[in-house]
């Protein structure tokens, strides 16, 4: 039972980290899109995708 609970906590932690990186990526993409391309939405969508990928796979991996 404790092992199952620990697993759920770990999964939730990974999801929260991916969501946080996705949000940061969204903001960075929107800012970049506004400053460089003068179109916010396409760059923001790309930013949220890249931020989520970075938060989920690269940062979330243990040693």
């Amino acid at each position: 039972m404790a092992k199952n609970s620990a697993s759920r906590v770990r999964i939730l932690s990974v999801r929260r980290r991916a969501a946080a990186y996705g949000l940061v990526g969204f903001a960075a993409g929107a800012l970049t899109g506004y400053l460089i391309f003068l179109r916010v939405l396409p760059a923001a969508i790309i930013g949220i995708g890249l931020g989520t990928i970075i938060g989920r796979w690269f940062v979330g991996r243990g040693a």
Side-chain angles (χ1 to χ4, degrees):
M1 185 83 167
K3 187 177 182 180
N4 189 17
S5 178
S7 176
R8 288 184 185 183
V9 169
R10 183 173 178 269
I11 289 171
L12 184 60
S13 174
V14 169
R15 286 184 182 173
R16 284 183 180 165
R17 184 177 298 143
Y21 275 90
L23 186 61
V24 170
F26 181 77
L31 181 64
T32 303
Y34 179 73
L35 294 176
I36 296 174
F37 305 114
L38 299 177
R39 285 189 274 164
V40 174
L41 192 59
I45 292 172
I46 292 170
I48 197 170
L50 290 176
T52 303
I53 289 170
I54 290 170
R56 185 136 186 136
W57 285 289
F58 296 125
V59 178
R61 291 184 183 250

